[in-house]
Amino acid sequence: MAGQDNYNSQPNAVRLYTFGQAPVAGPVVYHDSAWSALSADHVAHGNARAGVPASQQFACGSGATRSTAPRANELVCFKLDTSLDVLVVAPTMIDLDAPGGGDDYGKFPKANLDVTGRYMIWTSNLSGNRLDAFLVEVPYELLTGSTVSPSGSVTWTNLVNATASGGSLQKSGGCDGCADAGATSQQQIASGDGSVSFTATETDKLRYVGLSHGNTDTTTADIDFAIRLGQGTPRCGRTTSTAPTLRSRPATASRWRWREGS
């Protein structure tokens, strides 16, 4: 859990708390340069992922103040590690002296993230007499270095003879047994290490899934590194070479992961 530590010597410090361990309070993952900034007075982590180390996740914060300190009245996101890296997403556009929103607390943005971490919603009075809701896209790849969705779900693009439903992909056209269907993910690994994982629920279909530097066509040779699934024994490796054998129980749904590292 990410939350404020009001007793910390750093201004408006946010710490990582891990229940079930002693001490519960972990490292400081964010703080302001001035106490008056209040940039993470409200912490949002609706994009939290179970089973993923906190150091690979991020949270965001918002607040409102009459101060002009750095990051005052701005929406900020920060990694849940000790890097103290910060992404300023947008201005809150809040005027605490305008009538819209009532008292100061009623005017606070109280921004929240959606489950994917891609969008943040908050309210602002725009220096007027009412509150309006605003939605902003969070370019979290500028913070994390990867466009892989924090929710782990893939968005499919460039569909050919295929139909996408959520993170699932199914062939819907072309001929049986032909390499004439496919898609690419909107998410990319911009730098560093990364992986792709998927669940195969059929044992009688021939499929290739993996990582590639481009997308020229739907042929298997266009995938630089792939796992081949079909009748018989699965294989993985470069699609242009003999691939090593993988072991899997037949007639069951299996989960596979291909990891590419530097």
Side-chain angles (χ1 to χ4, degrees):
M1 181 187 77
Q4 285 193 334
D5 179 2
N6 294 332
Y7 297 96
N8 198 278
S9 60
Q10 299 283 3
N12 310 315
V14 176
R15 299 187 74 161
L16 190 64
Y17 295 87
T18 304
F19 299 103
Q21 73 173 31
V24 173
V28 172
V29 294
Y30 179 81
H31 66 80
D32 285 318
S33 60
W35 288 101
S36 59
L38 299 175
S39 62
D41 190 60
H42 175 88
V43 177
H45 191 30
N47 58 325
R49 288 182 291 163
V52 177
S55 60
Q56 298 177 20
Q57 303 190 50
F58 70 92
C60 297
S62 62
T65 178
R66 292 176 175 83
S67 169
T68 58
R71 300 180 198 156
N73 298 308
E74 293 179 326
L75 305 177
V76 297
C77 293
F78 45 89
K79 294 196 291 187
L80 298 182
D81 58 16
T82 57
S83 67
L84 297 179
D85 290 343
V86 180
L87 172 69
V88 176
V89 179
T92 62
M93 303 177 292
I94 291 172
D95 182 355
L96 291 178
D97 294 319
D103 61 13
D104 280 5
Y105 182 76
K107 297 169 186 173
F108 285 179
K110 306 179 186 70
N112 278 293
L113 286 166
D114 76 321
V115 296
T116 71
R118 178 56 79 183
Y119 299 98
M120 187 185 296
I121 188 170
W122 80 102
T123 56
S124 171
N125 61 17
L126 285 176
S127 300
N129 59 5
R130 70 178 194 183
L131 285 180
D132 289 301
F134 294 86
L135 186 70
V136 65
E137 183 175 356
V138 179
Y140 54 71
E141 59 272 14
L142 299 178
L143 179 66
T144 64
S146 173
T147 58
V148 175
S149 170
S151 70
S153 179
V154 168
T155 300
W156 294 106
T157 61
N158 302 317
L159 279 76
V160 178
N161 291 326
T163 301
S165 178
S168 298
L169 185 69
Q170 184 174 9
K171 184 171 182 176
S172 57
C175 67
D176 291 340
C178 299
D180 58 357
T184 59
S185 66
Q186 185 182 75
Q187 294 80 11
Q188 300 178 12
I189 301 172
S191 62
D193 297 346
S195 65
V196 57
S197 62
F198 63 95
T199 302
T201 57
E202 299 168 311
T203 60
D204 60 343
K205 301 292 188 297
L206 179 60
R207 288 154 294 181
Y208 286 76
V209 182
L211 300 172
S212 187
H213 292 92
N215 177 44
T216 303
D217 51 43
T218 60
T219 62
T220 58
D222 194 43
I223 307 176
D224 295 338
F225 303 92
I227 295 176
R228 174 192 181 276
L229 296 175
Q231 293 179 331
T233 304
R235 296 178 180 274
C236 73
R238 293 180 181 268
T239 54
T240 56
S241 64
T242 302
T245 299
L246 296 173
R247 298 299 180 187
S248 174
R249 291 179 297 174
T252 61
S254 301
R255 186 171 182 85
W256 303 93
R257 169 167 289 190
W258 180 270
R259 184 177 183 276
E260 176 71 0
S262 56

mmCIF file of all heavy atoms in Angstrom, residues 128-155:
data_model
loop_
_atom_site.group_PDB
_atom_site.id
_atom_site.type_symbol
_atom_site.label_atom_id
_atom_site.label_comp_id
_atom_site.label_asym_id
_atom_site.label_seq_id
_atom_site.Cartn_x
_atom_site.Cartn_y
_atom_site.Cartn_z
ATOM 1 N N GLY A 128 -13.962 28.999 -11.363
ATOM 2 C CA GLY A 128 -15.354 29.428 -11.511
ATOM 3 C C GLY A 128 -16.216 29.018 -10.333
ATOM 4 O O GLY A 128 -15.721 28.755 -9.234
ATOM 5 N N ASN A 129 -17.530 28.967 -10.572
ATOM 6 C CA ASN A 129 -18.480 28.715 -9.482
ATOM 7 C C ASN A 129 -19.060 27.303 -9.498
ATOM 8 O O ASN A 129 -20.102 27.056 -8.893
ATOM 9 C CB ASN A 129 -19.612 29.747 -9.531
ATOM 10 C CG ASN A 129 -20.365 29.709 -10.873
ATOM 11 O OD1 ASN A 129 -20.103 28.855 -11.713
ATOM 12 N ND2 ASN A 129 -21.275 30.657 -11.064
ATOM 13 N N ARG A 130 -18.408 26.369 -10.200
ATOM 14 C CA ARG A 130 -18.893 24.991 -10.213
ATOM 15 C C ARG A 130 -17.700 24.043 -10.357
ATOM 16 O O ARG A 130 -16.581 24.468 -10.672
ATOM 17 C CB ARG A 130 -19.872 24.760 -11.353
ATOM 18 C CG ARG A 130 -19.222 24.769 -12.734
ATOM 19 C CD ARG A 130 -20.221 24.500 -13.829
ATOM 20 N NE ARG A 130 -19.558 24.181 -15.101
ATOM 21 C CZ ARG A 130 -20.202 23.961 -16.241
ATOM 22 N NH1 ARG A 130 -21.525 24.045 -16.274
ATOM 23 N NH2 ARG A 130 -19.531 23.664 -17.341
ATOM 24 N N LEU A 131 -17.959 22.761 -10.132
ATOM 25 C CA LEU A 131 -16.937 21.730 -10.331
ATOM 26 C C LEU A 131 -17.259 20.931 -11.582
ATOM 27 O O LEU A 131 -18.412 20.554 -11.809
ATOM 28 C CB LEU A 131 -16.886 20.778 -9.124
ATOM 29 C CG LEU A 131 -16.241 21.274 -7.832
ATOM 30 C CD1 LEU A 131 -16.300 20.178 -6.778
ATOM 31 C CD2 LEU A 131 -14.804 21.716 -8.069
ATOM 32 N N ASP A 132 -16.250 20.680 -12.384
ATOM 33 C CA ASP A 132 -16.378 19.820 -13.548
ATOM 34 C C ASP A 132 -15.379 18.671 -13.430
ATOM 35 O O ASP A 132 -14.317 18.808 -12.807
ATOM 36 C CB ASP A 132 -16.119 20.595 -14.841
ATOM 37 C CG ASP A 132 -17.229 21.577 -15.168
ATOM 38 O OD1 ASP A 132 -18.379 21.123 -15.323
ATOM 39 O OD2 ASP A 132 -16.933 22.786 -15.254
ATOM 40 N N ALA A 133 -15.706 17.537 -14.045
ATOM 41 C CA ALA A 133 -14.815 16.376 -14.039
ATOM 42 C C ALA A 133 -13.948 16.400 -15.291
ATOM 43 O O ALA A 133 -14.418 16.749 -16.384
ATOM 44 C CB ALA A 133 -15.624 15.084 -13.972
ATOM 45 N N PHE A 134 -12.699 16.017 -15.136
ATOM 46 C CA PHE A 134 -11.749 15.993 -16.250
ATOM 47 C C PHE A 134 -11.066 14.633 -16.296
ATOM 48 O O PHE A 134 -10.827 13.992 -15.264
ATOM 49 C CB PHE A 134 -10.708 17.105 -16.095
ATOM 50 C CG PHE A 134 -11.272 18.487 -16.209
ATOM 51 C CD1 PHE A 134 -11.812 19.119 -15.091
ATOM 52 C CD2 PHE A 134 -11.293 19.145 -17.431
ATOM 53 C CE1 PHE A 134 -12.348 20.389 -15.195
ATOM 54 C CE2 PHE A 134 -11.825 20.416 -17.547
ATOM 55 C CZ PHE A 134 -12.361 21.046 -16.430
ATOM 56 N N LEU A 135 -10.748 14.219 -17.510
ATOM 57 C CA LEU A 135 -10.080 12.942 -17.727
ATOM 58 C C LEU A 135 -8.812 13.190 -18.530
ATOM 59 O O LEU A 135 -8.838 13.917 -19.523
ATOM 60 C CB LEU A 135 -10.999 11.981 -18.504
ATOM 61 C CG LEU A 135 -10.513 10.546 -18.709
ATOM 62 C CD1 LEU A 135 -10.516 9.795 -17.390
ATOM 63 C CD2 LEU A 135 -11.412 9.827 -19.729
ATOM 64 N N VAL A 136 -7.699 12.602 -18.103
ATOM 65 C CA VAL A 136 -6.433 12.781 -18.801
ATOM 66 C C VAL A 136 -5.803 11.414 -19.038
ATOM 67 O O VAL A 136 -5.939 10.502 -18.215
ATOM 68 C CB VAL A 136 -5.472 13.693 -18.000
ATOM 69 C CG1 VAL A 136 -5.068 13.051 -16.686
ATOM 70 C CG2 VAL A 136 -4.235 14.036 -18.816
ATOM 71 N N GLU A 137 -5.147 11.274 -20.181
ATOM 72 C CA GLU A 137 -4.408 10.045 -20.465
ATOM 73 C C GLU A 137 -3.020 10.153 -19.823
ATOM 74 O O GLU A 137 -2.329 11.144 -19.994
ATOM 75 C CB GLU A 137 -4.273 9.827 -21.976
ATOM 76 C CG GLU A 137 -3.564 8.529 -22.337
ATOM 77 C CD GLU A 137 -3.549 8.269 -23.836
ATOM 78 O OE1 GLU A 137 -4.150 9.069 -24.580
ATOM 79 O OE2 GLU A 137 -2.937 7.262 -24.254
ATOM 80 N N VAL A 138 -2.656 9.112 -19.099
ATOM 81 C CA VAL A 138 -1.372 9.098 -18.393
ATOM 82 C C VAL A 138 -0.316 8.433 -19.275
ATOM 83 O O VAL A 138 -0.397 7.226 -19.532
ATOM 84 C CB VAL A 138 -1.488 8.343 -17.060
ATOM 85 C CG1 VAL A 138 -0.140 8.318 -16.331
ATOM 86 C CG2 VAL A 138 -2.574 8.965 -16.176
ATOM 87 N N PRO A 139 0.688 9.165 -19.739
ATOM 88 C CA PRO A 139 1.741 8.561 -20.569
ATOM 89 C C PRO A 139 2.768 7.853 -19.685
ATOM 90 O O PRO A 139 3.929 8.251 -19.597
ATOM 91 C CB PRO A 139 2.328 9.773 -21.297
ATOM 92 C CG PRO A 139 2.152 10.891 -20.335
ATOM 93 C CD PRO A 139 0.871 10.613 -19.585
ATOM 94 N N TYR A 140 2.325 6.765 -19.031
ATOM 95 C CA TYR A 140 3.173 6.142 -18.017
ATOM 96 C C TYR A 140 4.465 5.556 -18.574
ATOM 97 O O TYR A 140 5.412 5.299 -17.827
ATOM 98 C CB TYR A 140 2.411 5.062 -17.246
ATOM 99 C CG TYR A 140 1.759 4.004 -18.102
ATOM 100 C CD1 TYR A 140 2.503 3.052 -18.786
ATOM 101 C CD2 TYR A 140 0.372 3.944 -18.202
ATOM 102 C CE1 TYR A 140 1.896 2.085 -19.562
ATOM 103 C CE2 TYR A 140 -0.242 2.980 -18.971
ATOM 104 C CZ TYR A 140 0.520 2.047 -19.644
ATOM 105 O OH TYR A 140 -0.093 1.081 -20.418
ATOM 106 N N GLU A 141 4.536 5.349 -19.915
ATOM 107 C CA GLU A 141 5.774 4.838 -20.487
ATOM 108 C C GLU A 141 6.935 5.828 -20.301
ATOM 109 O O GLU A 141 8.099 5.430 -20.290
ATOM 110 C CB GLU A 141 5.596 4.513 -21.967
ATOM 111 C CG GLU A 141 5.160 5.673 -22.829
ATOM 112 C CD GLU A 141 3.655 5.831 -22.894
ATOM 113 O OE1 GLU A 141 2.940 5.217 -22.067
ATOM 114 O OE2 GLU A 141 3.187 6.568 -23.778
ATOM 115 N N LEU A 142 6.620 7.125 -20.148
ATOM 116 C CA LEU A 142 7.657 8.110 -19.881
ATOM 117 C C LEU A 142 8.239 7.945 -18.478
ATOM 118 O O LEU A 142 9.360 8.372 -18.203
ATOM 119 C CB LEU A 142 7.095 9.530 -20.025
ATOM 120 C CG LEU A 142 6.556 9.905 -21.406
ATOM 121 C CD1 LEU A 142 5.990 11.317 -21.390
ATOM 122 C CD2 LEU A 142 7.639 9.773 -22.466
ATOM 123 N N LEU A 143 7.467 7.299 -17.616
ATOM 124 C CA LEU A 143 7.911 7.047 -16.250
ATOM 125 C C LEU A 143 8.533 5.668 -16.101
ATOM 126 O O LEU A 143 9.594 5.509 -15.489
ATOM 127 C CB LEU A 143 6.732 7.193 -15.280
ATOM 128 C CG LEU A 143 7.006 6.938 -13.795
ATOM 129 C CD1 LEU A 143 7.948 8.003 -13.242
ATOM 130 C CD2 LEU A 143 5.691 6.941 -13.012
ATOM 131 N N THR A 144 7.887 4.663 -16.698
ATOM 132 C CA THR A 144 8.322 3.280 -16.509
ATOM 133 C C THR A 144 9.266 2.794 -17.590
ATOM 134 O O THR A 144 9.917 1.764 -17.422
ATOM 135 C CB THR A 144 7.111 2.349 -16.466
ATOM 136 O OG1 THR A 144 6.438 2.374 -17.744
ATOM 137 C CG2 THR A 144 6.121 2.781 -15.382
ATOM 138 N N GLY A 145 9.298 3.492 -18.761
ATOM 139 C CA GLY A 145 10.138 3.050 -19.871
ATOM 140 C C GLY A 145 9.526 1.943 -20.677
ATOM 141 O O GLY A 145 10.168 1.366 -21.552
ATOM 142 N N SER A 146 8.252 1.619 -20.437
ATOM 143 C CA SER A 146 7.585 0.543 -21.168
ATOM 144 C C SER A 146 6.148 0.927 -21.421
ATOM 145 O O SER A 146 5.501 1.559 -20.588
ATOM 146 C CB SER A 146 7.628 -0.765 -20.370
ATOM 147 O OG SER A 146 6.843 -1.768 -20.992
ATOM 148 N N THR A 147 5.627 0.556 -22.612
ATOM 149 C CA THR A 147 4.211 0.796 -22.925
ATOM 150 C C THR A 147 3.358 -0.405 -22.587
ATOM 151 O O THR A 147 2.188 -0.463 -22.939
ATOM 152 C CB THR A 147 4.021 1.118 -24.424
ATOM 153 O OG1 THR A 147 4.533 0.035 -25.205
ATOM 154 C CG2 THR A 147 4.728 2.400 -24.801
ATOM 155 N N VAL A 148 3.940 -1.388 -21.917
ATOM 156 C CA VAL A 148 3.162 -2.552 -21.503
ATOM 157 C C VAL A 148 2.141 -2.101 -20.478
ATOM 158 O O VAL A 148 2.461 -1.440 -19.500
ATOM 159 C CB VAL A 148 4.077 -3.642 -20.913
ATOM 160 C CG1 VAL A 148 3.272 -4.802 -20.383
ATOM 161 C CG2 VAL A 148 5.064 -4.114 -21.970
ATOM 162 N N SER A 149 0.907 -2.463 -20.686
ATOM 163 C CA SER A 149 -0.166 -2.031 -19.810
ATOM 164 C C SER A 149 0.060 -2.512 -18.384
ATOM 165 O O SER A 149 0.303 -3.684 -18.160
ATOM 166 C CB SER A 149 -1.505 -2.582 -20.337
ATOM 167 O OG SER A 149 -2.529 -2.380 -19.395
ATOM 168 N N PRO A 150 -0.062 -1.605 -17.378
ATOM 169 C CA PRO A 150 0.086 -2.038 -16.005
ATOM 170 C C PRO A 150 -0.932 -3.065 -15.580
ATOM 171 O O PRO A 150 -0.755 -3.757 -14.612
ATOM 172 C CB PRO A 150 -0.092 -0.739 -15.203
ATOM 173 C CG PRO A 150 0.242 0.328 -16.155
ATOM 174 C CD PRO A 150 -0.214 -0.161 -17.498
ATOM 175 N N SER A 151 -2.023 -3.151 -16.257
ATOM 176 C CA SER A 151 -3.017 -4.166 -15.914
ATOM 177 C C SER A 151 -2.649 -5.513 -16.471
ATOM 178 O O SER A 151 -3.239 -6.533 -16.123
ATOM 179 C CB SER A 151 -4.391 -3.774 -16.473
ATOM 180 O OG SER A 151 -4.398 -3.873 -17.881
ATOM 181 N N GLY A 152 -1.646 -5.555 -17.382
ATOM 182 C CA GLY A 152 -1.247 -6.824 -17.978
ATOM 183 C C GLY A 152 -2.099 -7.214 -19.178
ATOM 184 O O GLY A 152 -1.802 -8.199 -19.848
ATOM 185 N N SER A 153 -3.167 -6.466 -19.484
ATOM 186 C CA SER A 153 -4.045 -6.808 -20.592
ATOM 187 C C SER A 153 -3.528 -6.187 -21.887
ATOM 188 O O SER A 153 -3.065 -5.053 -21.904
ATOM 189 C CB SER A 153 -5.468 -6.307 -20.313
ATOM 190 O OG SER A 153 -6.319 -6.605 -21.378
ATOM 191 N N VAL A 154 -3.608 -6.944 -22.971
ATOM 192 C CA VAL A 154 -3.110 -6.498 -24.265
ATOM 193 C C VAL A 154 -4.229 -5.867 -25.079
ATOM 194 O O VAL A 154 -5.365 -6.352 -25.082
ATOM 195 C CB VAL A 154 -2.498 -7.687 -25.042
ATOM 196 C CG1 VAL A 154 -2.247 -7.318 -26.497
ATOM 197 C CG2 VAL A 154 -1.201 -8.119 -24.389
ATOM 198 N N THR A 155 -3.934 -4.780 -25.772
ATOM 199 C CA THR A 155 -4.855 -4.190 -26.740
ATOM 200 C C THR A 155 -4.355 -4.547 -28.128
ATOM 201 O O THR A 155 -3.232 -4.194 -28.499
ATOM 202 C CB THR A 155 -4.910 -2.660 -26.574
ATOM 203 O OG1 THR A 155 -5.347 -2.338 -25.252
ATOM 204 C CG2 THR A 155 -5.869 -2.049 -27.589
#
